[in-house]
Amino acid sequence: LRGQAIPEISPSVPSVPFLSRANDLVGLAIQNNQSSRASAPITVSQIFALGALPNNMGLVARIRGSSVPVQVDVKATHPDGSVRMAVLTFAVPALGVGESIPVILAREQTPHEDIGDTFQAPKVTVDLNIHGGKQVHLDVASLIVQSAKTGRVSYWLRGPQVVETRLDVPIAGSLHVTFDVRRYADGDAVTDVEFKNDYAFQSTGGPMFYDVKIANGKDVPFTASNVEQPQYTQWHKKIVSGN
């Protein structure tokens, strides 16, 4: 489940449930392939057949006799306007190691909740010392607030269960840092920090030399000195925050 390393375990292959009701669309099985008991919202992509899910229709997940609300972020539609591909987020109960659970995704007329950008941002910061140049401090929480005020924030997911935003910050020459920040309602967050030296058609460019530190609150999960990054290259680190 979300943002954790996958150990080498061999759980049994789970069985997928059959569709049994008129509004049933997809049967799937969710399995905990981690080394400990886990419970969390999950985020998956799903393809739908032409006309199967109208764009104004919602989804629920039937799990162990209960209907769980599903956040639907539509990413592509069919010619008739129905959903072709969407990113789905919903909560699952705690699962033991190797345990699986059957899930049915079904159509349901559910109201769309747009909560905006209200989830707490992770305390991730990046410090850069550009050799022969400037020192840069980037605070993800502050950047999200500033971008939201100016209307320049870009959303990939936006709803009552998860919000994912993208921020891009120019640094020097052709170097810029992109943050993909996913925040869940339960307080967990995943921040993908990407260092990209790939701006084109700039007055300056070429390789960049710098020192870097990535902090997650009081923790410092990554530091590096004398980084040499050629132009038109990129690298990234994923930082998990929260529970």
Side-chain angles (χ1 to χ4, degrees), residues 2-3 180-183 188-192 238-241:
R2 190 171 78 223
D180 287 305
V181 188
R182 179 177 294 186
R183 292 166 285 155
D188 282 0
V190 180
T191 305
D192 194 18
K238 187 171 290 186
I239 309 298
V240 179
S241 311

Side-chain angles (χ1 to χ4, degrees), residues 65-85:
S66 300
S67 292
V68 177
V70 177
Q71 178 177 321
V72 180
D73 288 279
V74 178
K75 297 303 173 185
T77 57
H78 289 287
D80 67 349
S82 63
V83 179
R84 181 166 66 88
M85 194 280 280

Side-chain angles (χ1 to χ4, degrees), residues 23-242:
N23 283 331
D24 291 352
L25 292 181
V26 180
L28 54 91
I30 297 171
Q31 188 173 56
N32 176 15
N33 61 356
Q34 306 303 303
S35 57
S36 61
R37 188 174 179 83
S39 174
I42 66 167
T43 300
V44 298
S45 61
Q46 180 63 48
I47 302 295
F48 296 94
L50 175 67
L53 183 62
N55 212 335
N56 60 351
M57 182 73 69
L59 288 175
V60 294
R62 294 209 313 274
I63 305 174
R64 291 178 177 168
S66 300
S67 292
V68 177
V70 177
Q71 178 177 321
V72 180
D73 288 279
V74 178
K75 297 303 173 185
T77 57
H78 289 287
D80 67 349
S82 63
V83 179
R84 181 166 66 88
M85 194 280 280
V87 179
L88 311 178
T89 303
F90 55 95
V92 297
L95 300 176
V97 177
E99 183 182 1
S100 62
I101 189 171
V103 177
I104 294 287
L105 298 177
R107 287 185 298 258
E108 183 169 293
Q109 192 67 53
T110 56
H112 174 71
E113 296 182 70
D114 187 348
I115 62 167
D117 202 355
T118 60
F119 292 173
Q120 181 177 355
K123 297 178 180 179
V124 174
T125 59
V126 173
D127 287 283
L128 285 164
N129 176 32
I130 307 299
H131 292 186
K134 59 183 179 179
Q135 293 186 337
V136 178
H137 176 75
L138 304 175
D139 184 302
V140 168
S142 296
L143 289 170
I144 289 176
V145 171
Q146 294 168 11
S147 297
K149 287 181 178 179
T150 60
R152 292 184 299 174
V153 65
S154 172
Y155 291 95
W156 175 247
L157 307 176
R158 185 173 180 174
Q161 301 192 52
V162 61
V163 171
E164 182 169 334
T165 54
R166 167 167 284 190
L167 307 164
D168 190 76
V169 184
I171 303 298
S174 58
L175 178 67
H176 57 120
V177 178
T178 300
F179 298 94
D180 287 305
V181 188
R182 179 177 294 186
R183 292 166 285 155
Y184 288 86
D186 65 0
D188 282 0
V190 180
T191 305
D192 194 18
V193 187
E194 302 169 86
F195 299 83
K196 303 177 179 180
N197 190 23
D198 60 2
Y199 279 154
F201 306 108
Q202 302 290 305
S203 58
T204 59
M208 294 295 296
F209 301 86
Y210 55 88
D211 310 317
V212 59
K213 179 181 76 173
I214 302 176
N216 186 13
K218 295 182 180 180
D219 297 327
V220 181
F222 181 80
T223 61
S225 300
N226 300 315
V227 175
E228 179 181 354
Q229 184 171 358
Q231 193 164 16
Y232 306 120
T233 63
Q234 58 181 271
W235 62 277
H236 73 114
K237 287 291 180 182
K238 187 171 290 186
I239 309 298
V240 179
S241 311

